[in-house]
Every structure is written in C-alpha cells, then in structure tokens.
Amino acid sequence: MAKKIVCSHITTSTLLHTDKTARVYMRPRSSSPHSSPHRTLHSAPRAAPCASSRLGVRAAAQKDGEAPRSLPRRASSVAAARASPAAVVFPAPRRTPRASRGSRFGARPVWRVDSGRMLEKKAGEFSGEKVIAEFERLTRDAAIVQRETLRRILAENGNTEYLRGLGLAGRTDAASFKQCVPLATHADLEPYIERIVDGDATPVLTGKPVTSISLSSGTTQGKRKYLLFNEELVKSTMQIYRTSYAFRNREFPVEDGKALQFIYSSRQFTTKGGLTATTATTNVYRSEEFKATMRAVQSQCCSPDEVIFGADFAQSLYCHLLCGLLAAGEVQMVSATFAHSVVLAFQTFERVWEELCADIRRGALSPTRVTSPAVRQAVSALLAGPNPELADAVARRCAGLSNWYGVIPALWPNAKYVYGIMTGSMEHYVKKLRHYAGGLPLVAAEYGASEGWIGANVEPAAPPESATFTVLPDIGYFEFIPLRPGCAAAPGPDACYGESEPVGLTDVVAGEHYEVVMTTFAGLYRYRLGDVVRVAGFHNATPKLKFVCRRNLALSINIDKNSEQDLQLAVDAAAAKFLAAEKLEVVDYTSHADMSSDPGHYVVFVELNAAAADASADALQGCCDELDRAFADPGYVGSRRSRAIGPLELRVLQRGTFHRVLRHYLSLGAPVSQFKSPRCVARSNAGVLQILAACTAKAFFSAAYD
C-alpha cells in the first residue's frame, strides 16, 4: 500500500520523485506559530524506512531471504505532480518486517543514571527535555560534579602503574592529584602506551581493559599518535551527541527522517599485542551504542554500512551522494565530521552529477565508479530499478542552479541545517559551505579531539564564526593553563606565551586565554591538549569556550610567532582585497617557515578556483604584499624591517593540489573523516612539502617592506 505524504510550506516546483509508490497531497501553508521556516515533511503514521538503508538493521531485514515486493506504479500521482507547479513527490518508504525495526517499536525504554553521567534512555526513545534538564543541573553544580568526576576517574584507575608510580597512593582528592601528578604531553605517556600496544595487559594506564587503539589523523604533525580506547569513550561520545542533539532539535526540530552523512571508516590493523588500531571515529561507528543512539536521535545515515566501511574513499563518497538522492524526501540534515568533508562532497557532486543521474535512470550502478562487490550489492538493493522520473528531476534542478548556489536545499528540500565541525582550521570552508547551503543554517558541531570530548554547542543558532562550546563537567576532569602575552625573548612555538599555574573549570575568567588540560577515563592524566581557547562566558557555572588555535602550530623564524588564526586572517584579508574582484577564491591554503636560506622567510601556498594562468600577475603580487603586511605580530614586523626575516613568498598551486595532499594522507591510513589540511607544514613533513613543491605553478616575493 502506498504511503500518504502531506507536504506543507511548499513554494517550489516539482522536485524529486524517489519512489514509484508515492502519492502527492497538497495542504495550505500552516499558520501555526510552531511552523518551521524551512520546508517540512508531514505524514501519516510512518512506516519504518527501508531496512537496507539503516545502520545495523539491514541484517535483520534480510535474514528471512525475502526480496522486496514491487508495488504497482501509481501513474496518476506522477501525472498530478507534473501538472501542478506546487506539487512535490516524496519517497514512500517500503514497509519492513517488524523484527527489523528499531527499538522504538515495542521495546520498553529503560532509564539509567550512570553515577552522575547524563540521564538517558537505554533503548531507542529519546527525550530532549530530560537531557537538557539534566545538563542544566550538571552545569549549575559544575564544581561539585568536577570533584566527583575526578574521584571516579582516580578510584577506577588508582591502582594503575602510572598513578602508583607517582605516589598518589589511592587518594582521589584534587589537591593530592595536582601535587603528585605532573602535567603531561603525549611524549610523556608514549612509552606506557607503546607497552599496551605491544601486549602488556597489566593495568598500566587504565584499570578497565583497553578494547582497541585510536589513531589521531596525523595532519597536525605529520605523524599519527596512538591513544587508548575503551567503552568509557563510547559512553562519553554518545553523551555529547545526545546533549548537542537535544539543543539542536529544540532550535531546528526535525521529524522522523534520515541524515545525509558523509562519514567514512578508516583502515584498521592489529597491533603486536592483538589490539585493533583504527581511528576513534571508526571505533565509535562500529559500536552498537552508536547505532542505537543514531536511531534514537533520528540521525540514521542514508547509506548502508557497506558504504561507510568501504575500503575506497572515492567509491564511498559517490555512493553517499547516490543514496542521499534516493532518499531525498526523507533527509532532515546534511552532516560530516568536518566542514571540509561536506565541501569536498559537493565539489565532487559538481563533477559526477550526470553520472549519478545516469545510474538512477537505468537503475544500476556505474561499473567503473563502484567496483567493490559488497558496496555494489548494498547500494543496488536501494536502486531497486530504473527511475527516469527522479533522474530527470535531479537534472532539472542541477541545470537550474547558478554556480551551484543552494544545491543542498534544491535537492534535499526537507533538510533543516548543515552540521559539522566548522571552527578552527575548518572555518576557512564556511564561506563555500554557505554557498552550497543557500539559506540553510550552518550548525557547528561539538568540540573535542582524538583524546576525548570537551564541550557541546548549546547555542546552535549562532553562526559558526561565533560558536562557543559549553564544557560538560562530568565527561572528564578539566584544568586550564592561563596564557598571557610574553616577551618573545626566545624562539620556538611557546615564545609568545607566559604561563601560570593551572586553574579549575569553574575558576577561569571570561575574556582570558587558556590551554586545555584534561584527565579522562581512558588513561590521560593532566594531559596538555595543546588547544588555545578563550572563555567567552558561562552557562550556569560552566565556561563557554571559543576555540582560538593549536598552540604548537605556528609560523616562526626567530622571535616572531604567527598562529593558524593569524594565517587565516591574513589569507582572508588578502583574498578579499586582491582576488575577489577577479572572481577568484582560495580553495585551500597552507604555509611553511622556510629556513633553508638565510634569512628564513614565510611561504604561503594557495590553491585557487581557477588555473594560475587565469589570475593576473598584478593581482597575485598585490595579494603577496598584503599577506606580508597582514602579519601584525611585533616580532615579525620588527624582523622584516631589520631584514632578519626575508620577504614572504606566495606560491600559487596547480588545481587539485590539496586533493593530492588528501590522497597522500589516505595512503598513510588516515581517514577522510579526520582529514584537516595542515595549516603550517613542518620541515619533518617531507611528503607534503614535496607535493607542494611539485605542484607550484607560480611564485611571488613580497615587496611590502622594500
């Protein structure tokens, strides 16, 4: 039986017809004060979405060996849609056997309070109001919660070799902890982690067993770090997902639908000690708790597991786009771990949309685009058969776009927002993301790192450039090293900072800058994360943090220091002044402190949205001079004037260079979902420097200080 779908807030012409069993009904624009400003999908009681597109439910749907039934084509509904300019045909999801549905259907919810952790339903039902109420309680009592969190961490791990060796002797109070345990970096803990990686099963750093090893992306230093992963990290990840979703859904309510998620797993391998090593995100994606949480917060991915865990990134990306088009009417949000991944996806869409339409038209995957048997089988089950109506609709919408502006709401009219990490080094991609998103809100995702989570975005309506993150006081124990401008008397990455003794979570001061120090349930104790944050204010008694930059990522020749934020501001200013008039955009950029000559000098690499030959030499020379002037650090300005630092060099790269950089990191085992273009390439990162040198099309030297 076809599903009846009622569409309100419709102002566009005929769109995507993704299932031949759909029926179209029209309803006048709602006058309800709760109406969304975006188009929303209203329906009668909803059947479960197609099992083959669910995370973790496909096996249940297929185990009976039943092929999907082909229902009669509703020709009248298609004709009506074509005749009416305001009609929109949405997919009517196939009904699936009750056994294959999520735990919302019939499973009794079980409440759990995990010693001060966020109140949650263990089964599928989700109550945003209860999550927010518990969050408010925790942040009001932040100091008490922090003491209890530290007590739990130390009680659980006090018998470890590391803490015993420091003389903590079972004590769990903050004063004893700070007196006995020094501040640490990854280099300090690396020997202990290596023993665990090699098979030491004794309680070296954690009381609970280490279930796997997490790998950092390696884009910061050119080398991937090993970190411990256990079930506590899964719990904290789900907690922060639920918290962020509760606030996000209050601001931008979504109905029962799906998410077009550009997420990818990474390669994994087995360590000498028998532990699986992969990225933290892959460890999370494989957990049953992740799948249950995504069902509960109505964020199920359009794509089947085989796409997410596919070995070939290009094939997975192509299939994510295809699956998103097939489920266009159900998509409520578009997301990725990083903003870069969303931008990359739609840059790819610009090139392959005709091939996607061809696949939909003939009901079969391209044999050259997708070669993995497992991925082909899973996605072919969603294609089901030829769908020329959908292919035509996609083609019409693509042809009607101006430079791909607003492609996301054009093809996914029920999407409420675009979601991902958009701060720090990702802020550069926000402008392009707004272009693709049209009028859809951009919502900055949570604040965390491979080492663990820190804060949630509880003000999702704020633009990404001003996003702040409220620390969850029970997700770890946090300290903050106050940072003040230093005399820069000595060279090196910390030259511009003076330090004071760390302060507690509730002792920070609004407006001041700090380095984050974290103690986690996964074997990190007073761990210097290296992130510089500014306290933007407070949510109850808990600080709201604004990410500033990575502390150890800086351009420095001698007494100068310019952070990644300084670099971003310089690139943005120069591009706006000299490139915008020629309709040129900076696709991506990075930098390098070149010490191979005397004096050393800064090198800024940029890739433009056009070939280097299309940009005038005058514009590029002006851009180079402006970049040099834009670095306002006193150490840099003084050194340039005294010729202690040479003229800045601007290198214009061939188009596609940063795709080569991405492929380089993928070849080292890094996943695209963790990829961040390195904003400052160190001398040790020879692989990337070789790519940048080989792809340089033009070079200019600044005359700003001549």
Side-chain angles (χ1 to χ4, degrees), residues 115 211 271 294 301 303 371 688 706:
S115 302
T211 56
T271 70
M294 292 301 99
C301 185
S303 305
T371 58
V688 172
D706 288 354

Side-chain angles (χ1 to χ4, degrees), residues 214-230:
S214 287
L215 300 169
S216 69
S217 65
T219 53
T220 299
Q221 300 294 335
K223 176 185 176 183
R224 307 186 76 184
K225 294 183 295 189
Y226 284 26
L227 297 158
L228 306 185
F229 189 90
N230 60 22

